[in-house]
Amino acid sequence: MAYVVDRVVICDAFREPDCHYQLLPGGRSRRVASRRPSMRFLASAQDTRGGITGIVGREAGLFDDLSAAAEQKNEFVNALRDEVRAWREAGYPGTAVVTRRLLEWWFERDEERKALGRRFFFCQQEAVETVVYLYEVQNRRKMPETGDLLRYALKLATGTGKTVVMALFVTWATLHKRKVSGSTLSGNFLVLVPNLTVRDRVSGQPRGDGLDAAGSHNLYDAFEMVPPEYREEFRPNVLVRNWQGIPLEAKREDWIGEGEVPLEEGRFIPQAVLRAMQRRARQDPNAAIRRLLGGWRDLVVINDEAHHAYGEKRGRKGEDAEYIKWSKILERISKAARISLVVDLSATPWYGSGSPKPEGTLFEWLVSDFSVYDAFESGLVKVVRLPDPDEHGKVYLDLWDLVKGARTKEEYLRACRGAIASIYSSWRQDFDEWAGTFEFLRGPSPVLLCVADNAERARWLFEHLTHDYELLRNPDDHDRTRWVTIPIDSKVFDADKGNEATLREMVSTVGSTGRPGERVRCIVSVNMLSEGWDVKSVTHILGLRAFGSPLLTEQIIGRGLRRTNYDVLNQPLAERPEGSEETVDAFGIPFVGFPVERRRRPQTGDWTHKPVWIEADPRKAKYCVQVPNVRSWAVGVRQSLAELVRVEDLPQIRIDPRQTPPDVHVRPVVGGKPEAVMTLERVREEWPVLRTQFLLAEELYTQTNPGTAGDLGFGPTFDELLEVSRLYVDGRVHPMEAGGLKSDPRDLGIYFWRRQAVDVLENA
């Protein structure tokens, strides 16, 4: 199922990819010194019932096909890439003066932007360049099947910065309209989004960090997109709207159809007024759209998460399909004002199940393609790790086959309890590391995302997590903003009142300090794979649903791919430290076909990065601050710590094998840290008793010498604490046998038991 490679990140995020892994049949791969070609089709698994077996079969065939069938390549996009590259290298000829200045300001001042931390990724650069090339150099070239609209689709993988690309388009179109005589572009922008959550993110409301140029932290200022000489003239009008909420018909509460009795709840409408209303509606069917646009005579339409336009959800019985509604909106807008350009952005710009085209087919007007494969190989997203597909870990890949037949809560939880406990154990390790850092240095806490296949099962999962797992329990009060585990579904993303609106605000601000979602640690969801929501702090994903196509797999993984930090991407590939890639662990998700990074165990003495010498600068000696060389203070203690702490009187710890958290061995799928220890046997190999005793002493030293006091020796010395730790472990920690299982003294290295020992010794 995996393609083993020495290193997944092989390309510079700020340069055009110059190599890629060609995936070959039989689990083999080959590094090719060229860019990965764009593919025209994506295989779907419509004929499977979900579960990993069907996906593996279809995807295995998919890669066999892609490695051999040249006709599957998207020749138009591949040829267009070559044209844009030649145009770039020639210095962008054929563009307006203002456009040439913008391209230079954005993409030709690399060292300056690198110093300021405001560089643009190559995928962002290519997307903008491609649209500019087609619009200005090729004189507004139209694409197939877009009718009278000038429409381009851009495929940008999750985590590559689509909102920044929108801001670049707003900047270019606005200044082109202001500075170029006879420009057909516009300074008015209607940005259509699939729900309220994405609307708030794109608009930047209420934070002010989106596309609103008046926002306090807008993207134009954050990335210095506008050259100094044009700042006075940069005044775009940006309207961000949820496309489902755009009215296609003039609606009034007191509307009465022709022939109906004009009486309702005691109200009366004169016949003359009624006829006037009906006549006006017939004369101007676009009145609702005109009110939305105000006085705009021209505009640019930007569709974010544009895959929603074509069949992610089937329409209700008796209603138009989603793609028909979207098309009607564009049609009505084009009659109310001139649409100069339509830009579709999506990580998955494919026709869905409710569309008129075969599911999985790319939009015909696609002009730029930067796939999730390219994002992995450029380091723009987190590295995904899956359970090791051996005889023990395989069960955690194939979770749907375990739970799909469950009819009761007991059957369901019995089938997935082990996977839940395992991924919780892994998540808790990350959480404990996060909680152990100084508060002022912490980022957002790690988040566990669980995806169920229906609302009832999601409720069972929510109840189990909040009842059986200490760190995921919610407070007993009814204030949902204090919850740490929240249940959501697709309806939450459009809620504007009630409890669902509260949850929407929480899920939209997960990990944001001072916001309602600051405390969230776990999200239990159903039907939200394509909602455009993602959080940088998602570290673990548990999939308990069917995956009917690779599209669903990519969408759910996409919820956890966004990096928390991009600084390492500024380092040359050869200089990046080992294990610098961020990771997300996924259980129950058939994420096949992606390369696996080979991680060898470091040799003894080389566990850390290469040392970096930090020395005093002799030129700054006059600023040196001298600290008194005090070794320690006497506190009136004359006995040794081992004599003061009566170890024989301390509580015992009996290691019960039935309470030892179940773990599995996780191997990185596309890069990541060295192999994570998640099996009991491996824990015992890596944690001899002596190592645990040293760690207990280290943790006690941190607790008894808080803050800077540790450097000056307020509390006990490390040697004293080590002596006490060894006496306690040797005399008061006892392995047990129960239920046919047998504990081992080395099990104390597991955090569950080590934490108890730390508590006892710290109190003592």
Side-chain angles (χ1 to χ4, degrees):
M1 292 176 57
Y3 297 83
V4 179
V5 297
D6 291 329
R7 185 174 188 176
V8 167
V9 181
I10 54 176
C11 298
D12 188 336
F14 301 98
R15 298 287 181 268
E16 182 174 10
D18 56 2
C19 58
H20 72 280
Y21 287 112
Q22 181 183 10
L23 307 182
L24 305 174
R28 296 176 298 114
S29 65
R30 178 177 62 188
R31 182 166 171 171
V32 181
S34 62
R35 185 174 179 181
R36 172 178 286 101
S38 173
M39 296 297 177
R40 182 72 258 176
F41 299 101
L42 172 77
S44 69
Q46 282 181 300
D47 56 343
T48 67
R49 296 291 183 180
I52 192 170
T53 305
I55 295 297
V56 171
R58 286 303 295 258
E59 285 220 355
L62 166 66
F63 289 106
D64 288 347
D65 293 341
L66 295 187
S67 63
E71 62 270 15
Q72 297 289 336
K73 294 181 180 179
N74 189 352
E75 297 297 352
F76 173 78
V77 170
N78 294 323
L80 187 57
R81 286 175 177 175
D82 296 336
E83 293 181 33
V84 172
R85 184 187 308 110
W87 174 63
R88 179 192 311 124
E89 294 172 352
Y92 304 115
T95 57
V97 173
V98 65
T99 302
R100 182 65 184 88
R101 171 59 170 147
L102 289 174
L103 295 173
E104 179 270 332
W105 180 258
W106 294 336
F107 308 133
E108 295 180 354
R109 300 162 59 247
D110 196 60
E111 289 302 319
E112 182 179 343
R113 286 193 171 273
K114 181 177 180 180
L116 297 174
R118 292 165 178 167
R119 301 168 80 188
F120 297 105
F121 300 134
F122 173 78
C123 58
Q124 297 170 329
Q125 174 180 348
E126 184 179 55
V128 172
E129 289 174 343
T130 301
V131 173
V132 170
Y133 176 77
L134 293 170
Y135 196 93
E136 293 197 34
V137 179
Q138 295 205 338
N139 194 24
R140 305 175 71 241
R141 178 176 177 177
K142 288 189 176 181
M143 302 300 297
E145 298 197 18
T146 59
D148 295 331
L149 291 177
L150 184 64
R151 187 174 187 179
Y152 304 129
L154 307 175
K155 181 181 177 185
L156 290 166
T158 297
T160 55
K162 291 191 291 293
T163 310
V164 172
V165 173
M166 294 183 217
L168 291 171
F169 282 132
V170 170
T171 305
W172 166 62
T174 300
L175 293 177
H176 194 278
K177 181 68 174 179
R178 299 279 191 273
K179 305 298 293 183
V180 177
S181 177
S183 172
T184 55
L185 286 170
S186 175
N188 305 315
F189 302 88
L190 176 61
V191 183
L192 299 179
V193 297
N195 53 54
L196 300 182
T197 298
V198 179
R199 183 199 66 183
D200 294 347
R201 185 192 72 200
V202 171
S203 65
Q205 300 300 329
R207 303 181 304 273
D209 56 357
L211 296 181
D212 181 5
S216 55
H217 305 287
N218 64 77
L219 291 173
Y220 316 104
D221 293 340
F223 285 87
E224 289 193 1
M225 293 184 183
V226 184
E229 65 269 28
Y230 296 142
R231 287 173 186 167
E232 290 298 322
E233 299 177 82
F234 181 66
R235 295 185 300 276
N237 301 311
V238 181
L239 185 65
V240 183
R241 287 292 182 269
N242 178 4
W243 71 268
Q244 292 93 334
I246 293 181
L248 289 175
E249 306 292 343
K251 294 183 179 180
R252 293 182 53 135
E253 291 182 359
D254 57 355
W255 177 260
I256 300 172
E258 189 172 353
E260 295 183 7
V261 179
L263 287 172
E264 184 181 351
E265 297 181 359
R267 293 182 296 169
F268 176 78
I269 301 177
Q271 284 289 344
V273 175
L274 179 61
R275 286 194 295 270
M277 290 167 53
Q278 295 171 337
R279 185 168 57 253
R280 182 175 180 181
R282 286 194 296 267
Q283 290 175 350
D284 188 7
N286 301 314
I289 295 293
R290 294 187 192 280
R291 283 195 296 272
L292 172 72
L293 300 179
W296 291 358
R297 296 184 178 181
D298 52 41
L299 76 158
V300 172
V301 177
I302 299 176
N303 297 319
D304 189 22
E305 306 294 343
H307 55 273
H308 282 265
Y310 287 94
E312 282 306 308
K313 299 175 183 176
R314 294 183 181 274
R316 297 178 181 176
K317 187 175 182 180
E319 292 186 1
D320 289 337
E322 301 293 302
Y323 72 91
I324 296 178
K325 294 179 183 178
W326 190 291
S327 300
K328 283 185 177 179
I329 290 173
L330 293 179
E331 179 184 348
R332 293 291 179 83
I333 292 174
S334 66
K335 292 180 179 179
R338 180 178 60 84
I339 299 179
S340 55
L341 177 64
V342 179
V343 179
D344 296 332
L345 294 103
S346 174
T348 54
W350 302 315
Y351 289 103
S353 58
S355 67
K357 297 295 178 67
E359 181 182 1
T361 305
L362 283 168
F363 293 169
E364 292 86 351
W365 51 96
L366 184 75
V367 297
S368 180
D369 182 358
F370 196 85
S371 68
V372 69
Y373 288 89
D374 301 312
F376 276 123
E377 292 170 352
S378 298
L380 288 173
V381 294
K382 291 177 182 175
V383 166
V384 180
R385 302 191 303 184
L386 295 187
D388 189 0
D390 57 15
E391 58 181 344
H392 300 293
K394 184 177 180 181
V395 66
Y396 298 113
L397 284 170
D398 211 358
L399 294 180
W400 175 244
D401 286 341
L402 295 179
V403 302
K404 63 183 179 182
R407 298 183 179 180
T408 65
K409 179 179 179 180
E410 291 71 23
E411 292 178 356
Y412 184 73
L413 294 179
R414 190 184 310 119
C416 61
R417 192 186 303 272
I420 295 172
S422 295
I423 201 167
Y424 173 81
S425 176
S426 177
W427 170 84
R428 178 157 186 171
Q429 289 180 9
D430 287 355
F431 182 86
D432 289 336
E433 289 182 14
W434 171 84
T437 59
F438 289 110
E439 188 171 352
F440 68 91
L441 293 175
R442 292 179 190 167
S445 68
V447 172
L448 168 62
L449 172 63
C450 303
V451 181
D453 61 312
N454 61 52
E456 183 178 37
R457 289 180 169 183
R459 186 181 72 254
W460 295 342
L461 192 58
F462 175 78
E463 293 171 353
H464 175 63
L465 291 171
T466 54
H467 181 269
D468 289 12
Y469 294 95
E470 176 187 0
L471 292 178
L472 304 183
R473 292 174 186 164
N474 290 326
D476 293 332
D477 57 44
H478 296 288
D479 183 5
R480 298 198 175 199
T481 60
R482 299 183 63 240
W483 284 11
V484 296
T485 302
I486 60 174
I488 61 172
D489 58 24
S490 58
K491 294 183 294 185
V492 165
F493 295 94
D494 276 315
D496 57 2
K497 59 183 177 181
N499 287 333
E500 288 188 341
T502 301
L503 293 177
R504 182 177 74 85
E505 180 66 16
M506 292 177 69
V507 79
S508 299
T509 58
V510 170
S512 300
T513 304
R515 304 298 302 280
E518 178 181 8
R519 300 182 181 88
V520 173
R521 300 172 184 172
C522 178
I523 298 169
V524 181
S525 66
V526 59
N527 294 334
M528 56 154 285
L529 300 186
S530 61
E531 301 304 326
W533 173 85
D534 46 57
V535 169
K536 295 179 180 179
S537 53
V538 169
T539 58
H540 295 75
I541 301 176
L542 177 64
L544 295 171
R545 61 156 294 160
F547 292 88
S549 73
L551 171 60
L552 292 178
T553 299
E554 183 172 336
Q555 285 175 339
I556 185 174
I557 287 291
R559 307 285 72 82
L561 285 184
R562 195 174 297 274
R563 295 180 65 107
T564 60
N565 189 288
Y566 294 87
D567 292 343
V568 72
L569 300 183
N570 288 303
Q571 300 183 31
L573 285 170
E575 299 178 13
R576 295 181 189 176
E578 185 77 8
S580 60
E581 298 88 355
E582 298 183 21
T583 63
V584 56
D585 288 345
F587 282 30
I589 301 170
F591 201 64
V592 296
F594 285 78
V596 177
E597 182 162 326
R598 191 192 308 275
R599 288 293 185 181
R600 300 180 179 86
R601 176 173 173 171
Q603 296 178 354
T604 304
D606 190 27
W607 286 95
T608 58
H609 307 322
K610 295 181 180 179
V612 178
W613 295 105
I614 302 176
E615 300 175 346
D617 187 345
R619 296 173 299 178
K620 300 181 180 180
K622 61 180 180 180
Y623 302 113
C624 178
V625 177
Q626 299 291 336
V627 178
N629 186 19
V630 179
R631 182 159 182 242
S632 64
W633 281 267
V635 198
V637 176
R638 299 181 181 180
Q639 298 171 283
S640 70
L641 190 63
E643 294 174 317
L644 287 173
V645 177
R646 297 179 59 84
V647 173
E648 63 272 13
D649 295 336
L650 297 181
Q652 297 183 15
I653 292 179
R654 295 185 179 275
I655 301 179
D656 188 341
R658 295 170 299 183
Q659 297 182 22
T660 300
D663 292 317
V664 297
H665 180 197
V666 166
R667 174 183 299 169
V669 167
V670 278
K673 302 175 183 177
E675 293 184 352
V677 177
M678 298 186 70
T679 62
L680 196 55
E681 292 75 12
R682 188 64 180 273
V683 169
R684 290 171 178 171
E685 292 177 8
E686 296 288 339
W687 286 89
V689 175
L690 183 61
R691 181 183 178 187
T692 301
Q693 293 170 346
F694 269 82
L695 184 58
L696 288 174
E698 179 185 356
E699 293 179 338
L700 290 170
Y701 184 83
T702 303
Q703 296 296 328
T704 56
N705 292 272
T708 56
D711 298 331
L712 302 177
F714 277 126
T717 66
F718 180 83
D719 291 340
E720 291 177 306
L721 294 168
L722 178 59
E723 182 182 6
V724 173
S725 299
R726 298 182 70 171
L727 289 173
Y728 179 76
V729 172
D730 293 340
R732 306 299 288 172
V733 177
H734 305 290
M736 296 174 57
E737 293 187 23
L741 302 174
K742 184 177 180 180
S743 293
D744 187 284
R746 294 172 293 177
D747 293 350
L748 188 63
I750 298 175
Y751 182 83
F752 178 81
W753 298 112
R754 191 174 77 245
R755 181 72 256 173
Q756 298 181 37
V758 171
D759 291 341
V760 170
L761 291 173
E762 186 180 348
N763 290 336

